[in-house]
Amino acid sequence: MFRPEKHGLESDFQLTKFTTHTGCSCKIPQKVLEKYLRGTEIVNKNNDGYLIGSGMDCAVIPLNRHKDYLLVQTVDFFYPMVNDPELLGRIALANVLSDVYAVGVTDFDSVEIIVSTSTSFTEKERDVVISLILKGFQNSLQANGYHKTPIAIRQLKINPWCIIGGIATSVCLREELILPSKAQPGDVLVLTKPLGGQMAMDAHLWQLNQNEKYKSLLSEFSDDDIRETFEIAVKSMTYLNKNAALLMHKYQAHCATDITGFGLLGHAQNLAQFQKQKVLFKIDKLPIIKNVLKFSLLIGQSTKLRSGRSVETSGGLLICLAPDAADKFCRDFEEVTKGEQKSFKIGHVVASIESGAVLCDEVSLIEVNL
Amino acid sequence: MFRPEKHGLESDFQLTKFTTHTGCSCKIPQKVLEKYLRGTEIVNKNNDGYLIGSGMDCAVIPLNRHKDYLLVQTVDFFYPMVNDPELLGRIALANVLSDVYAVGVTDFDSVEIIVSTSTSFTEKERDVVISLILKGFQNSLQANGYHKTPIAIRQLKINPWCIIGGIATSVCLREELILPSKAQPGDVLVLTKPLGGQMAMDAHLWQLNQNEKYKSLLSEFSDDDIRETFEIAVKSMTYLNKNAALLMHKYQAHCATDITGFGLLGHAQNLAQFQKQKVLFKIDKLPIIKNVLKFSLLIGQSTKLRSGRSVETSGGLLICLAPDAADKFCRDFEEVTKGEQKSFKIGHVVASIESGAVLCDEVSLIEVNL
């Protein structure tokens, strides 16, 4: 656990206080962006099934001069949602790579870190925080087998809030990708991480700050419970979607997206609307990190979570697979992760007049321990 | 000229007030970053002459799985230094692409815009500003022949300051690049834009705000003079370094870098230290936008400008060429730009014990009108 005083900082130093928009809540709704793009030629919609526009995950672009190859690239950044800078670096890496995993690509030609210090940091705070963020980012890359992938950082910027994110780039042949457009009626929806990570992180911050929300939690939970929930979220959010992407190929997934700032339902809707066929994604199960649902009820802010709209940071992949493939995927996923991670069958795909995603009336809220 | 009231905004709306770090002044000194990278495997130095580390311009990385190709990529962003959002978009584009032009590459497989709204914008201000920034970015791409280059924006972020920047990516064969390492004693240093753009922009803001610095300028200059200087800076800063890059190939340039946040001397030093041979770059001329030197003297802040250390945003390329090639480069540059832009022979390269860049004692300060 990160202890500021061990690094020569004040014991009350909290990285998350250097922003008001933690994690992936720092995105403006896509509809607003789309409004601004009207009348420009800036990409907004897919083109030939290749170029993935602003609603989807990464860019997938045929190279101008070497047309057999596709440039697969994602950029993302956010602001600290945890106080531990090394942990922040690891979550940021998982979050950045996730969009590329969503198209089934697991090799990178380059990973570049985007980071800024905060105008509010002292020099000492900057020294400690930035070094540890970079360390966390790199540690995770190494630990996940990316020894040969060049990681770079071009500059250190300054900003009111501490920015952390990156760019992941892969130049691929067509067959390396699973473009997210082949959902079929009858497919099963599989989600590879539980929901609620953001709130688990928030609860941990309330605990640290002993605020009103924390006091609400204490009516039913102990400090250990809150810490345990936080640890489950850490385990989930630092986990790369790499194995999920590899299994997408093994089980011939039809399409996938990753679950982040627009919540499960938002991303499911984007994915459904991207399909060649008109399909409806019907979600009948929400797997939620242990205790998080109850936390949200205790503080009177459970609506988003219960309706599949909670903002997620570094969430799992939502994948459409044929039914028997989905079963095998889930078993294999638990096996390759040695039981450390779980995936969930959360719904199915039906034919529809208009594409979209909905929560079934009788949705089950499942508590998840990792 | 951008008039806020024409867009339904308050007449005193000024985009530059939404940041305290205008333009490329938002970078932390590279030495600080290098300190943080020690002990990590995050790229800091060149590797096999290919991978350009944190001191230089763009990343140049052999692809993992398709080794004939090199990934050439740059990312940069900054905060508004002009109040006109459409102009800001055009300057941002020129600034982003510049690092790739510095290695002689002029085709892009993808250009991606990074932009954030400000937490301080009203919804209306956001609508106007973001739309116009995007328009400026795209207008400039189109006007410079990049009709087939996909431009994309993935998300609109939120931040205290309005962020504008982007990522430019090109996948190249080796011969398309001029790696910046072949400077020779006897080479001539050519600079393709004058210095002082940032201060010209600042003077225009002082004029708008009628502050003390503006009053200092009025002792010798008229409002028209200040506006004229600003217009020269606009012309320079919106100009893409594309033609310079093309001419680098035509005249077999030995190396180049682009002049931005670390000033002429800072970037010249980085470039010199990157050379295979030990060389000293001796700068004997500083071409400065008309009136800017005098502005800086009148406000008592001329030291950086006179010592070649002024922060530049969207500056020119600094190129090493053989002497006769340098002459032809400069003539050709003026021709292809139809006299709209100028390049300058500003020094020469000598052998040295240690690589570096210096200003000669007898440096000439040249006033430039475009």
Side-chain angles (χ1 to χ4, degrees), chain B residues 106-156:
Chain B
T106 54
D107 279 305
F108 301 93
D109 291 295
S110 161
V111 173
E112 178 143 357
I113 306 171
I114 294 172
V115 67
S116 87
T117 180
S118 165
T119 45
S120 306
F121 284 162
T122 64
E123 211 173 287
K124 177 68 182 164
E125 285 165 348
R126 183 190 72 197
D127 284 353
V128 169
V129 167
I130 303 301
S131 305
L132 287 172
I133 287 175
L134 296 178
K135 207 158 275 170
F137 207 96
Q138 193 218 337
N139 286 347
S140 189
L141 267 168
Q142 301 284 327
N144 283 280
Y146 290 108
H147 307 284
K148 291 188 181 167
T149 303
I151 29 167
I153 175 172
R154 211 132 308 282
Q155 307 146 0
L156 178 60

Side-chain angles (χ1 to χ4, degrees), chain A residues 72-336:
Chain A
V72 179
Q73 184 169 274
T74 182
V75 57
D76 201 9
F77 64 82
F78 52 46
Y79 311 105
M81 84 296 291
V82 292
N83 286 327
D84 179 336
E86 197 271 351
L87 172 59
L88 179 64
R90 286 190 284 135
I91 293 174
L93 176 74
N95 194 70
V96 166
L97 301 187
S98 190
D99 279 324
V100 177
Y101 290 136
V103 292
V105 172
T106 54
D107 279 305
F108 301 93
D109 291 296
S110 161
V111 174
E112 179 142 358
I113 306 170
I114 294 173
V115 67
S116 88
T117 180
S118 165
T119 45
S120 306
F121 284 163
T122 63
E123 210 173 290
K124 177 68 181 163
E125 286 165 348
R126 183 190 72 197
D127 284 353
V128 170
V129 166
I130 302 301
S131 304
L132 286 173
I133 287 175
L134 296 178
K135 209 159 272 170
F137 207 96
Q138 192 216 337
N139 285 347
S140 189
L141 266 168
Q142 301 283 326
N144 283 280
Y146 291 109
H147 306 282
K148 292 190 182 167
T149 303
I151 29 169
I153 175 171
R154 212 130 309 278
Q155 309 147 359
L156 179 59
K157 295 288 192 184
I158 187 162
N159 188 60
W161 298 344
C162 171
I163 290 171
I164 174 66
I167 307 167
T169 306
S170 189
V171 176
C172 300
L173 293 167
R174 175 64 187 85
E175 52 262 27
E176 297 175 60
L177 283 117
I178 298 177
L179 289 176
S181 56
K182 296 200 186 120
Q184 305 287 330
D187 277 356
V188 169
L189 296 166
V190 169
L191 180 62
T192 67
K193 289 187 188 182
L195 306 167
Q198 186 70 45
M199 183 164 287
M201 302 254 143
D202 290 344
H204 188 244
L205 294 177
W206 306 333
Q207 177 182 43
L208 202 62
N209 293 306
Q210 308 255 308
N211 64 10
E212 285 309 308
K213 288 182 178 177
Y214 164 68
K215 290 172 188 156
S216 307
L217 301 190
L218 280 188
S219 59
E220 293 210 23
F221 294 100
S222 68
D223 280 327
D224 281 348
D225 293 327
I226 297 171
R227 263 188 291 270
E228 184 195 1
T229 297
F230 171 73
E231 290 301 334
I232 296 171
V234 164
K235 195 171 175 181
S236 183
M237 289 165 71
T238 53
Y239 188 70
L240 300 195
N241 286 326
K242 183 182 182 185
N243 278 325
L246 290 167
L247 292 179
M248 276 171 59
H249 283 278
K250 186 171 179 182
Y251 296 107
Q252 295 178 306
H254 294 153
C255 64
T257 188
D258 72 326
I259 306 305
T260 56
F262 301 132
L264 172 65
L265 206 56
H267 288 286
Q269 268 159 353
N270 284 343
L271 182 61
Q273 282 158 2
F274 200 82
Q275 300 312 307
K276 288 189 168 137
Q277 293 198 43
K278 296 253 183 259
V279 286
L280 185 67
F281 291 178
K282 299 185 73 173
I283 297 168
D284 54 41
K285 191 177 292 170
L286 297 178
I288 303 173
I289 289 170
K290 179 179 173 185
N291 297 336
V292 168
L293 177 62
K294 207 59 199 284
F295 290 175
S296 74
L297 289 161
L298 285 169
I299 63 158
Q301 281 175 17
S302 68
T303 314
K304 283 197 166 182
L305 193 59
R306 287 184 296 114
S307 61
R309 295 183 192 279
S310 56
V311 168
E312 302 293 328
T313 299
S314 188
L317 297 188
L318 175 70
I319 310 169
C320 291
L321 296 134
D324 52 338
D327 287 336
K328 292 174 189 165
F329 179 105
C330 290
R331 274 197 302 272
D332 208 336
F333 186 77
E334 200 156 336
E335 225 175 272
V336 301

Side-chain angles (χ1 to χ4, degrees), chain B residues 38-55:
Chain B
R38 265 177 232 136
T40 72
E41 286 181 38
I42 299 167
V43 167
N44 189 19
K45 299 259 169 272
N46 63 312
N47 182 14
D48 302 324
Y50 274 141
L51 189 50
I52 299 183
S54 67

Side-chain angles (χ1 to χ4, degrees), chain A residues 36 64-65 73 127 176, chain B residues 36 64-65 73 109 127 176:
Chain A
Y36 301 151
N64 253 340
R65 293 153 297 154
Q73 184 169 274
D127 284 353
E176 297 175 60
Chain B
Y36 300 152
N64 253 341
R65 292 154 298 154
Q73 184 168 275
D109 291 295
D127 284 353
E176 297 175 61

Side-chain angles (χ1 to χ4, degrees), chain B residues 223-254:
Chain B
D223 280 327
D224 280 348
D225 292 328
I226 297 172
R227 262 188 291 270
E228 183 195 2
T229 299
F230 172 74
E231 290 302 335
I232 296 170
V234 165
K235 196 171 176 182
S236 184
M237 289 165 71
T238 53
Y239 188 69
L240 301 194
N241 287 325
K242 183 181 182 185
N243 278 325
L246 290 167
L247 292 178
M248 276 170 59
H249 283 277
K250 187 171 179 182
Y251 296 107
Q252 296 180 304
H254 292 154

